[in-house]
């Protein structure tokens, strides 16, 4: 493990731990946080010394730009423990690269790699006890950057906070979900910020998703904003379709998030000899496949959700049930991913990052 | 004035005022705030009692949804003082209606009208001294709502803060600005949140605007995301074009903010017998008019900017200078608006809202 040298980080330990108050068998996603957090402030043109401190409220001026102009980005990652107590992250280099892609698009300063990786490692090591072994258990890691500068001019801030908070997690969406294909609302525009993990991308989905939920569908699969003819992603997950034995997923573009789980599944498919096409997926093609019985599976892929089977979709008031199967690709990919993440299987692509 | 009855609001006055430290002749937009602010929290399914308190930092959990998912909206308004010391707002009912349109789109609870109007009136009255008479001087009012609930699940929050902060202002953009017509980047999608004053709409513009500024253009006029063929708005301003003696501006749609200044100018044009067409405006039409000399003016309209003349635009590497004229529509509309706002001229549409 590459601990940050003590001269590179300030560490103030919590005087006591909250861990004994936590029921690890009944975790709601993202509501319980560990004892510490990492904070690194940007001012005077540079990132200052990172600090690990007891998890605590933050103080913001009411004029902080994040509150007015949404200048905020984040990442979602997990740490996993194997049965020997060793702890790993999964492809943190990918999250790091994407964080800075998001930062650039939101006119924020890039964050340094050593602060990111070493900060995560130091924090995870400190929170070792919060990570439970067993597939499906993890410590969800939430690095994020917000514009803190107190000024309501509509321009990029000159002061930011990078923070990492940690929340013990079980897999998200354990039951198969029913989804709606978007026909009216959109998640992002060509030339917009859809490929970035920009805060505003998420709030924009809440209302259409609530309308979908009122119709009995938990999530929306977003379509292109211009024609609504092509399926893109699900907002917190990328989407895969299995027609016959072929896997299909939409290509990355400036509207679709470059998901780490997505790209890992594409690689695992190649490793397993599963044919995977990365190309535009039309609504009409998926409906036709659902009608003729060749649509075998639809599933979402994302860090929080891991792999999330979709049991039905609706479009133009028609509802299509997807039967699923015992040897589903969704379960094959989920097992492969979890086995790599939990140090159970071979890691041929070097995706595991040992923390301690 | 309709003061909130003392049983409807908690008021804690600042022990001293910062006003003597402020140089009112050199105000940078949005950096100086008055002595008080209004806070109204939403929890347990309802808006709680509003509080006016000394302007101060706020405390947020690091997991507050606004920091991660951009669930934040705002309004921009101004209070004006006439030469007799009477204070007015301008069409606050319009801002109130739009606040709740934004709230609905962002899956937030609607804010009550009496809290909005009476809260503004009480706060403005308290900050009376911060409002200087004279055209162009104003107190900029920033009502906003942010999701405060501490939980990083990607779903609408159940706790919010509505706040109003106030900043003394001179008119924004005093010099004519040079703008770029967007060719690659976009502000919003059909079916998106462009018509809402959603925080994320602003951060998304910072990077493309920075690229424009590096080329010598201060602002971008956004075009439709699908074709980039139609001119929409400027992000902090709506846009008007004058071809010959005809005024043209884009219609409202789900990508374009329904600006209060914009709709007031359309009404003033009607009052003055100026022909104003509200219809799609193509880039090619404006370039052709610039080339044949019929494009007389381009100007932006917004609360912060009031009316902001545009002296040049660029598209496809071509730059077009706009000469402007002494009897410009921009100056006519600006004068009309300021005269109404400052209680100098007749207010035939009942736009002035007397505060005290």
């Amino acid at each position: 493990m590459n601990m940050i040298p003590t001269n590179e980080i300030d560490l103030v330990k919590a005087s006591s731990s909250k861990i004994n108050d936590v029921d690890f068998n009944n975790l709601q996603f993202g509501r319980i946080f560990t004892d510490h957090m990492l904070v690194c402030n940007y001012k005077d043109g540079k990132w200052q010394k990172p600090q690990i401190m007891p998890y605590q409220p933050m103080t913001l001026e009411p004029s902080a730009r994040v509150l007015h102009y949404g200048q905020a980005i984040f990442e979602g990652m997990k740490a996993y423990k194997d049965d020997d107590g060793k702890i790993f992250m999964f492809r943190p280099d990918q999250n790091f690269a994407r964080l800075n892609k998001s930062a650039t698009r939101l006119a924020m300063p890039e964050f340094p790699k050593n602060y990111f990786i070493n900060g995560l490692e130091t924090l995870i090591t400190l929170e070792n006890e919060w990570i439970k072994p067993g597939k499906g258990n993890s410590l969800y890691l939430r690095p994020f950057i917000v514009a803190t500068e107190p000024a309501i001019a509509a321009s990029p801030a000159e002061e930011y906070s990078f923070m990492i908070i940690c929340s013990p997690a079980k897999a998200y969406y354990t039951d198969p979900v029913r989804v709606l294909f978007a026909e009216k609302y959109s998640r992002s525009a060509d030339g917009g910020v859809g490929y970035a993990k920009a805060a505003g991308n998420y709030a924009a989905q809440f209302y259409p998703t609530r309308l979908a939920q009122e119709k009995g569908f938990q999530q929306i699969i977003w379509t292109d904003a211009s024609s609504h003819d092509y399926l893109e992603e699900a907002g917190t997950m990328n989407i895969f379709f299995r027609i016959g034995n072929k896997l299909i997923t939409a290509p990355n573009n400036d509207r679709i998030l470059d998901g780490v789980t997505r790209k890992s599944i594409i690689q695992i498919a190649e490793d397993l000899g599963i044919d995977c096409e990365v190309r535009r997926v039309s609504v009409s093609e998926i409906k036709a496949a659902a009608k003729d019985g060749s649509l075998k599976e639809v599933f979402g892929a994302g860090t929080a959700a891991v792999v999330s089977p979709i049991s039905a979709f609706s479009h133009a008031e028609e509802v299509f049930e997807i039967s699923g199967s015992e040897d589903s690709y969704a379960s094959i990919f989920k097992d492969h991913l979890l086995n790599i993440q939990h140090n159970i299987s071979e890691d041929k692509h070097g995706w595991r990052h040992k923390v301690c």
Side-chain angles (χ1 to χ4, degrees), chain A:
Chain A
M1 187 198 48
N2 304 308
M3 263 288 210
I4 297 179
T6 47
N7 62 345
E8 280 187 24
I9 192 165
D10 287 330
L11 172 57
V12 177
K13 282 201 186 186
S15 56
S16 64
S17 176
K18 300 169 291 192
I19 196 166
N20 291 329
D21 301 334
V22 177
D23 176 0
F24 280 84
N25 293 315
N26 290 293
L27 292 168
Q28 249 192 302
F29 183 81
R31 290 193 177 265
I32 302 287
F33 296 91
T34 62
D35 296 318
H36 300 87
M37 63 186 190
L38 183 141
V39 180
C40 181
N41 295 319
Y42 181 90
K43 63 178 179 181
D44 302 329
K46 69 174 210 271
W47 291 101
Q48 309 293 311
K49 196 174 183 183
Q51 302 172 284
I52 291 177
M53 61 181 73
Y55 188 88
Q56 61 191 277
M58 61 195 288
T59 299
L60 271 182
E61 288 291 324
S63 61
R65 276 184 168 95
V66 61
L67 303 176
H68 301 268
Y69 304 126
Q71 208 186 0
I73 59 173
F74 70 91
E75 277 299 321
M77 311 170 65
K78 285 178 174 171
Y80 311 88
K81 188 174 269 181
D82 74 6
D83 288 336
D84 297 332
K86 292 195 292 290
I87 296 174
F88 301 87
M89 288 190 279
F90 183 71
R91 309 186 76 176
D93 53 315
Q94 297 292 317
N95 296 94
F96 171 73
R98 192 173 60 189
L99 180 79
N100 279 342
K101 267 175 86 169
S102 299
T104 297
R105 184 61 183 82
L106 276 285
M108 294 171 151
E110 291 197 0
F111 194 70
K113 186 163 189 177
N114 63 327
Y115 283 9
F116 185 81
I117 298 292
N118 296 352
L120 279 163
E121 289 182 342
T122 308
L123 187 58
I124 291 166
T125 303
L126 200 60
E127 307 298 42
N128 184 337
E129 290 301 314
W130 289 81
I131 312 175
K132 301 300 176 191
K135 280 204 274 187
N137 294 322
S138 64
L139 185 65
Y140 183 83
L141 309 165
R142 171 58 60 91
F144 63 105
I145 305 178
V146 293
T148 53
E149 191 189 14
I152 56 169
S155 57
E158 296 187 350
E159 294 171 15
Y160 298 89
S161 284
F162 168 90
M163 298 177 70
I164 306 171
I165 57 177
C166 310
S167 178
K170 296 217 163 251
Y172 218 55
Y173 306 131
T174 44
D175 293 325
V177 294
R178 298 169 72 81
V179 301
L180 209 57
F181 289 178
E183 293 171 67
K184 176 183 171 193
Y185 292 103
S186 305
R187 177 180 171 275
S188 70
D190 279 322
V193 300
Y195 71 93
K197 276 191 95 73
N201 289 340
Y202 294 80
Q205 301 177 55
F206 291 169
Y207 176 68
T209 302
R210 178 180 282 171
L211 297 181
Q213 287 166 349
E214 287 168 1
K215 290 182 168 182
F217 301 93
Q218 292 95 327
Q219 296 276 312
I220 291 175
I221 299 189
W222 297 103
T223 50
D224 68 290
S226 303
S227 70
H228 296 295
D229 287 339
Y230 293 94
L231 293 155
E232 303 210 314
E233 61 140 291
T236 60
M237 310 188 288
N238 294 107
I239 294 292
F240 287 83
F241 302 89
R242 174 185 174 181
I243 297 181
N245 286 326
K246 183 184 291 176
L247 205 58
I248 312 169
T249 193
N252 290 330
N253 58 33
D254 59 5
R255 300 183 304 273
I256 300 180
L257 192 81
D258 180 18
V260 179
T261 308
R262 172 188 173 278
K263 71 175 73 171
S264 302
I265 286 174
I266 293 170
Q267 181 61 57
I268 292 170
E270 190 184 317
D271 295 348
L272 297 177
I274 293 172
D275 189 13
C276 180
E277 290 183 2
V278 179
R279 60 161 172 83
R280 297 212 295 178
V281 186
S282 74
V283 171
S284 57
E285 172 186 11
I286 297 303
K287 287 171 74 170
K291 282 178 182 164
D292 72 19
S294 60
L295 182 70
K296 301 297 182 192
E297 292 180 63
V298 182
F299 59 87
T303 295
V306 191
V307 173
S308 178
I310 289 167
S311 59
F313 70 89
S314 174
H315 181 261
E317 306 297 325
E318 264 188 294
V319 177
F320 300 85
E321 304 289 337
I322 305 161
S323 54
S325 60
E326 283 285 313
D327 61 342
S328 76
Y329 284 178
S331 56
I332 290 171
F333 290 124
K334 186 168 186 175
D335 273 350
H336 268 261
L337 278 167
L338 289 175
N339 285 341
I340 295 170
Q341 289 164 342
H342 287 268
N343 195 28
I344 293 166
S345 65
E346 188 198 357
D347 176 27
K348 62 193 278 191
H349 300 290
W351 290 341
R352 274 195 299 263
H353 179 104
K354 186 157 182 275
V355 175
C356 61

